[in-house]
Amino acid sequence: MKRDVIRSENFVPDAAQFILGQARAALSERGEFRIALSGGRTPRPVYSDLVRIGRDLPWDRIFFTFGDERCVPPNDEQSNFQMARESLFVLAGVPEKSIARMRGEIDPQIAAQEYQDNLDRLAAQSGESIYRHDLVLLGIGDDGHTASLFPGTAALEEETRRVVANFVPKFNSWRLTFTLPLINQARHVCFLADAHKNAALLEKVLAGERQFPAARVEPVDGDLTWILGDA
């Protein structure tokens, strides 16, 4: 695993340019680009800037998945899908067939299994044993969680399933999330952390302190990039 840490004074344009570069490389090499989107506030302006600079991208050959989702309807203001829809899909005219939405509005266990089954079908069509993303985008929370892999929760220790429903006691709610076995199969994983993130926490994660879930992201046969916004 090769790891790069990019400290940027121009976080949004630099992050968007990084994603664009990954997209163009994958499209050139394999004719498609598989990207898992991160939710939350940090990536919203990045997605919008990607639309601006990537107007020539063949959006019908880019396939979008989600690293996690809140268990809410797709039009809920907390929905990661709704955020991506507003900041990326509508603006870029992404066709519906290019988007795999996690169904947060149904039973969490059923939704997780449904999403895993969908990824397994796509993997089988490509002769893969597990679906391999070209790029997985991740964020990091103040407790070191990433996707919806929170400290002390069951999903963090999952070794077999690729997508699970994870109960998060601190929110007293369920989340849908990729697990480490799926994340770590990606060709490239990129953490996006703007200047508002806890600098001391980030340094602990970068030092590999594994009580923080984000520190457990270690692509098996891929690269890891951190893009950190400098104040």
Side-chain angles (χ1 to χ4, degrees):
M1 177 190 75
K2 184 182 79 171
R3 188 182 79 170
D4 289 326
V5 179
I6 300 169
R7 300 181 187 274
S8 170
E9 295 181 357
N10 300 291
F11 175 77
V12 168
D14 284 350
Q17 192 64 52
F18 174 84
I19 297 168
L20 181 62
Q22 293 293 308
R24 287 181 170 154
L27 287 161
S28 175
E29 292 170 16
R30 290 176 292 279
E32 65 174 353
F33 179 49
R34 303 172 174 183
I35 178 173
L37 299 180
S38 173
R41 292 185 299 272
T42 299
R44 177 187 281 269
V46 176
Y47 296 159
S48 296
D49 205 49
L50 176 63
V51 175
R52 182 184 64 81
I53 65 175
R55 295 188 183 279
D56 62 333
L57 285 173
W59 297 102
D60 60 329
R61 289 197 282 131
I62 299 175
F63 191 68
F64 295 92
T65 58
F66 288 83
D68 73 321
E69 182 58 279
R70 296 170 173 88
C71 291
V72 296
N75 58 353
D76 190 284
E77 62 180 12
Q78 295 186 63
S79 166
N80 289 338
F81 168 78
Q82 176 69 352
M83 183 274 285
R85 181 180 180 278
E86 293 174 347
S87 61
L88 173 57
F89 300 151
V90 171
L91 298 178
V94 177
E96 188 174 331
K97 66 180 180 63
S98 296
I99 305 164
R101 179 176 73 83
M102 287 180 166
R103 294 209 293 160
E105 70 274 23
I106 67 173
D107 179 274
Q109 305 296 338
I110 294 173
Q113 188 63 56
E114 174 184 89
Y115 209 76
Q116 177 173 295
D117 289 346
N118 187 30
L119 293 184
D120 286 350
R121 280 193 296 271
L122 293 171
Q125 290 170 9
S126 302
E128 302 169 326
S129 59
I130 185 170
Y131 187 80
R132 193 172 191 205
H133 288 87
D134 293 304
L135 179 63
V136 172
L137 296 176
L138 294 173
I140 181 170
D142 290 339
D143 56 0
H145 84 267
T146 192
S148 281
L149 300 171
F150 287 81
T153 58
L156 188 57
E157 308 304 327
E158 180 60 49
E159 297 181 352
T160 304
R161 290 178 294 172
R162 276 79 72 193
V163 184
V164 299
N166 194 31
F167 185 73
V168 184
K170 69 184 291 184
F171 298 128
N172 191 34
S173 65
W174 288 89
R175 297 280 186 93
L176 304 173
T177 187
F178 283 4
T179 62
L180 290 171
L182 179 58
I183 292 170
N184 284 331
Q185 282 296 318
R187 291 186 175 88
H188 209 127
V189 177
C190 179
F191 279 92
L192 300 177
D194 63 21
H196 299 292
K197 296 297 180 181
N198 184 320
L201 168 71
L202 290 173
E203 293 308 316
K204 290 178 181 178
V205 172
L206 289 170
E209 296 189 20
R210 294 178 70 83
Q211 71 267 34
F212 302 111
R216 302 194 193 187
V217 174
E218 300 172 327
V220 175
D221 187 23
D223 296 330
L224 176 62
T225 297
W226 285 79
I227 302 179
L228 307 178
D230 278 346

